[in-house]
C-alpha cells in the first residue's frame, strides 16, 4: 500500500499498523525524521540496524536475528538501510514467512521498474512511502511548528532561516537546533 509522506507524518497509527514499510526517495531529511518518529513511538523496544551490505554478505543474518526470540528480552524492530534490488530475494523470503517483527527498509531513489519498490507498491500487507523533496511551504510549516514558543519570529527571520537551508530538511533541522540552543530565552533577534 502506498502512503503519502505527509499523511504518515501526521498519523502515527499508520506506522504502528504496518509491520513492514519501505521508505525511499531523495529527501534524506524526511527519511531521518521517520526513523526518529519510529524510535519515539517504540521506546520500549530494541532497535537493530543493518546495512544492505551486511545482509548480502550473510543472507541468513536478518532471518536468524528475527527468529532469535528471547523470552525475557525486548521486542525487536529492524532497520535495514541503503536498500536496493540486490536484497530483494532475501526480503521477499523473510516477508513471506509472516513474521511478527517490524522491519523498516530505507532506500535512496528507486526507479519505477525496481523490484523491491514494485513488490511493496503492489502489496496490500506492507507499506511504501515515497519521500520527495520538500518545498518552501512544507519547510515553513516545520519552522513555525518547531519555533512556535519563540517570540520575535517574523517573516524576515523565517525567510533568513529558509535561505540558509536551501530547501534541505536536514540543514533546516540543524539550523533549528542551533536556534533552540542559542536563543535560550526564547526570543529571536535578527542581529
Amino acid at each position: 500500500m502506498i502512503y503519502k509522506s505527509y499523511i504518515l507524518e501526521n498519523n502515527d497509527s499508520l506506522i504502528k499498523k504496518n509491520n513492514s514499510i519501505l521508505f525511499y526517495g531523495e529527501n534524506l531529511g524526511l527519511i531521518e525524521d521517520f526513523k526518529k518518529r519510529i524510535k519515539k513511538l517504540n521506546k520500549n523496544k530494541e532497535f537493530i540496524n543493518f546495512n544492505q551490505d551486511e545482509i548480502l554478505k550473510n543472507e541468513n543474518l536478518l532471518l536468524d536475528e528475527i527468529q532469535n526470540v528471547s523470552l525475557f528480552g525486548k521486542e525487536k524492530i529492524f532497520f535495514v538501510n541503503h536498500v536496493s534490488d540486490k536484497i530483494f530475494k532475501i526480503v521477499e523470503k523473510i516477508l513471506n514467512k509472516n513474521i511478527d517483527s517490524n522491519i523498516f527498509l530505507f532506500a535512496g531513489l528507486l526507479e519505477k521498474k525496481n523490484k523491491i519498490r514494485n513488490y511493496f507498491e503492489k502489496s496490500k500487507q506492507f507499506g511504501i512511502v515515497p519521500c520527495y523533496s520538500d518545498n518552501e511551504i512544507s519547510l515553513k510549516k516545520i519552522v513555525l511548528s518547531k519555533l512556535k514558543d519563540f517570540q520575535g519570529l517574523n517573516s524576515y527571520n523565517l525567510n533568513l532561516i529558509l535561505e540558509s537551508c536551501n530547501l534541505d530538511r536536514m540543514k533546516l533541522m540543524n539550523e533549528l537546533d542551533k536556534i533552540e540552543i542559542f536563543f535560550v530565552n526564547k526570543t529571536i533577534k535578527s542581529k
Side-chain angles (χ1 to χ4, degrees):
M1 171 158 283
I2 302 171
Y3 294 107
K4 302 283 185 195
S5 60
Y6 67 89
I7 292 174
L8 239 65
E9 282 183 288
N10 298 319
N11 192 344
D12 293 338
S13 63
L14 288 176
I15 294 173
K16 286 185 169 186
K17 179 181 109 173
N18 288 284
N19 71 336
S20 294
I21 300 176
L22 169 65
F23 297 89
Y24 78 94
E26 58 197 347
N27 194 339
L28 300 178
L30 180 57
I31 291 173
E32 283 301 314
D33 284 351
F34 279 122
K35 285 181 184 179
K36 289 176 188 173
R37 175 170 275 138
I38 292 166
K39 287 179 180 178
K40 186 177 177 183
L41 291 171
N42 299 286
K43 289 179 186 173
N44 58 341
K45 297 181 182 177
E46 179 183 357
F47 287 88
I48 300 175
N49 284 296
F50 290 109
N51 280 322
Q52 173 179 277
D53 294 338
E54 294 174 292
I55 296 170
L56 290 174
K57 286 178 185 172
N58 180 359
E59 291 187 8
N60 295 322
L61 179 66
L62 182 58
L63 184 59
D64 290 347
E65 196 62 45
I66 290 169
Q67 291 175 339
N68 183 14
V69 178
S70 170
L71 296 174
F72 303 107
K74 295 179 179 179
E75 191 177 328
K76 298 176 186 176
I77 293 181
F78 298 92
F79 283 177
V80 182
N81 298 298
H82 311 294
V83 173
S84 71
D85 266 350
K86 294 177 186 176
I87 199 171
F88 172 69
K89 295 255 188 235
I90 299 167
V91 170
E92 182 184 34
K93 183 172 103 177
I94 291 170
L95 294 178
N96 285 335
K97 289 185 182 264
N98 292 328
I99 53 157
D100 288 334
S101 297
N102 293 52
I103 301 174
F104 295 99
L105 307 168
F106 302 96
L109 287 173
L110 296 175
E111 297 290 324
K112 190 78 172 153
K113 299 178 217 170
N114 188 287
K115 290 178 189 174
I116 201 160
R117 177 179 167 180
N118 283 327
Y119 180 75
F120 274 83
E121 283 179 346
K122 292 176 182 171
S123 171
K124 301 218 184 290
Q125 189 177 0
F126 311 118
I128 184 167
V129 182
C131 298
Y132 300 116
S133 293
D134 286 307
N135 58 28
E136 194 172 325
I137 295 169
S138 63
L139 292 179
K140 275 185 182 179
K141 287 180 184 177
I142 292 170
V143 172
L144 292 173
S145 70
K146 190 102 166 157
L147 300 179
K148 67 181 175 204
D149 297 332
F150 284 72
Q151 296 175 345
L153 181 64
N154 55 33
S155 59
Y156 174 75
N157 293 337
L158 182 65
N159 289 330
L160 194 63
I161 294 167
L162 291 175
E163 283 175 19
S164 68
C165 74
N166 198 24
L167 296 179
D168 184 337
R169 187 183 285 235
M170 288 182 85
K171 287 181 184 177
L172 175 66
M173 296 312 279
N174 287 334
E175 293 295 317
L176 293 176
D177 288 342
K178 289 177 195 175
I179 290 169
E180 287 178 337
I181 292 168
F182 186 73
F183 296 107
V184 287
N185 61 356
K186 298 204 179 232
T187 302
I188 298 174
K189 297 178 182 171
S190 299
K191 291 181 182 180

